[in-house]
Amino acid sequence: MPASLSLGVPTTRLAPSPTGALHLGNVRTFLITWALARRLGWRIVLRIEDLDTPRVKPQTIALTEDLLTWLGLAWEGEVVLQSRMRDAHVLAMQQLASRSCVFPSPKLRSEGLATETPQSAPNEGAHEMRFGPELRPPTRPSEFADDAPTWRFATPNETIEFTDLFAGPQRVCPASTVGDFVVWSRREGSPLGQAAYQLAVVVDDAAAGVTHVVRGNDLIDSTGRQLLLLRELGLPAPAYVHVPLVRGSDGKRLAKRHGDTRLDAYRARGVRAERVVGLMAAWCGVLPREQPQEMALAEFVERFSLATLSQEDVVYGPQDEAWLLGESQRSGGTR
Ligand code: GLU
């Protein structure tokens, strides 16, 4: 329980993965995070999750920071780059090894990526990827050495329960969905491994004193894995706020296939930040869904409430893009 951290300043984080620039789905989650933090007096830190991909261009990181600033978001202290947290990640692996709950293993065919990212994380249905007790070595080492293609967490067969501050009571069973998940993985073409997403996120959140995690509800399943790691590492669990995703009209999570929904593409087309915030207001229950209006960030913060945020995903439709680009205004407001 987060008793020790409750003595400190409540803290949340913005944790973009710089694999592509921010899109409208990220923007919605970040504005919700920002509004909650401003209203409830939480500190905000910015962590760039640059372990997800072998090649993160420095200009992509700079663009992410620039876009957040353009929206009006700010953060305290130095920006944390996950790739610079290696020492803390190694220490955590040593601790997990000393508790015999991790073991070295070969990489499975389907695990070509350097790390298990939230988006690529094997979940239900990925049975051929599931490592279970029958594949564990008979004895587990008590020390960590960065000399195996992957290290896995020996997932206990138990159901993890937590109460999400927005999504409500949750029950997840990592042993049956993902089994022994990867916590450390060797990078392609490198003699060294690095922390996988599940491990990096808990270590980095704890290092930054994060007490409140606000993120997309596609990560609820990952939260079960993260709570197991936190327990073994003796770290307090943060409070979780998992919010619905933005999807394309085909029902899939907003991505490249839905056209160019990157924030910098809209900015380059002359869309003002207030217009983006106004669309987010319509997507977050601040304004009626079909009636976006330009809005200053401060007003969004004042009017936002989790109580009026829908539990349903947002579907990004052509009318949203038309409004963002101001086409509805030019054509006299008809839609
Ligand atoms: N970096 C992840 C993303 O951009 C978020 C991970 C997290 O919040 O734990 O989706």
Side-chain angles (χ1 to χ4, degrees):
M1 281 289 104
S4 56
L5 282 183
S6 66
L7 298 172
V9 186
T11 300
T12 190
R13 78 312 200 264
L14 303 172
S17 302
T19 40
L22 303 180
H23 61 68
L24 293 174
N26 307 123
V27 171
R28 179 173 182 269
T29 309
F30 290 169
L31 286 196
I32 294 171
T33 312
W34 175 259
L36 290 172
R38 276 292 172 267
R39 291 279 292 278
L40 300 168
W42 304 343
R43 223 174 115 240
I44 302 193
V45 295
L46 174 61
R47 177 174 73 238
I48 306 285
E49 304 217 310
D50 62 341
L51 287 185
D52 290 1
T53 160
R55 278 178 301 277
V56 179
K57 299 191 197 88
Q59 59 266 38
T60 311
I61 297 177
L63 176 62
T64 301
E65 293 179 27
D66 181 44
L67 286 166
L68 293 173
T69 308
W70 177 73
L71 280 172
L73 309 190
W75 50 90
E76 280 178 43
E78 298 266 302
V79 177
V80 176
L81 294 190
Q82 209 158 40
S83 57
R84 303 250 171 91
M85 296 292 290
R86 185 184 167 84
D87 290 353
H89 298 161
V90 168
L91 216 59
M93 282 303 292
Q94 282 163 354
Q95 202 177 332
L96 292 172
S98 73
R99 296 175 62 82
S100 298
C101 53
V102 286
F103 59 92
S105 77
K107 209 173 243 189
L108 297 180
R109 201 160 30 95
S110 39
E111 291 171 340
L113 282 175
T115 61
E116 181 194 332
T117 68
Q119 284 74 32
S120 70
N123 270 317
E124 293 91 327
H127 295 301
E128 79 286 2
M129 297 176 79
R130 175 130 41 92
F131 228 87
E134 66 290 350
L135 293 173
R136 287 176 199 158
T139 54
R140 296 205 275 275
S142 58
E143 280 182 30
F144 169 63
D146 188 4
D147 59 2
T150 67
W151 282 71
R152 291 170 191 279
F153 183 74
T155 306
N157 190 9
E158 65 181 270
T159 301
I160 307 296
E161 300 189 37
F162 66 99
T163 300
D164 187 278
L165 295 183
F166 180 68
Q170 304 295 321
R171 287 165 62 86
V172 286
C173 183
S176 59
T177 55
V178 289
D180 294 348
F181 56 91
V182 174
V183 285
W184 193 268
S185 176
R186 189 178 296 159
R187 298 183 62 141
E188 213 71 52
S190 161
L192 290 180
Q194 66 180 20
Y197 162 71
Q198 307 293 350
L199 179 69
V201 81
V202 301
V203 171
D204 300 349
D205 279 347
V210 168
T211 55
H212 293 78
V213 169
V214 183
R215 59 188 179 190
N217 64 13
D218 55 329
L219 291 172
I220 286 183
D221 203 70
S222 283
T223 303
R225 282 165 260 174
Q226 292 167 21
L227 286 168
L228 285 169
L229 290 174
L230 287 165
R231 187 173 75 191
E232 292 301 336
L233 292 168
L235 294 170
Y240 293 99
V241 181
H242 285 96
V243 298
L245 299 182
V246 179
R247 299 189 181 277
S249 36
D250 56 359
K252 302 229 170 78
R253 184 192 157 107
L254 202 62
K256 282 210 186 88
R257 71 176 86 84
H258 302 113
D260 199 348
T261 66
R262 289 172 309 137
L263 190 56
D264 70 321
Y266 290 116
R267 181 173 67 166
R269 292 169 81 175
V271 176
R272 283 152 33 84
E274 287 77 5
R275 209 154 176 94
V276 176
V277 174
L279 182 63
M280 296 303 138
W283 284 6
C284 291
V286 170
L287 293 173
R289 171 68 182 87
E290 297 301 332
Q291 292 169 28
Q293 279 169 31
E294 289 198 9
M295 190 178 281
L297 186 60
E299 183 179 346
F300 179 88
V301 168
E302 203 170 299
R303 295 175 62 178
F304 176 80
S305 165
L306 276 185
T308 49
L309 182 69
S310 171
Q311 295 280 355
E312 303 292 316
D313 289 340
V314 170
V315 177
Y316 177 64
Q319 80 282 13
D320 293 314
E321 169 139 299
W323 186 81
L324 213 43
L325 297 173
E327 283 164 22
S328 58
Q329 283 193 331
R330 255 177 272 139
S331 63
T334 50
R335 277 205 257 146

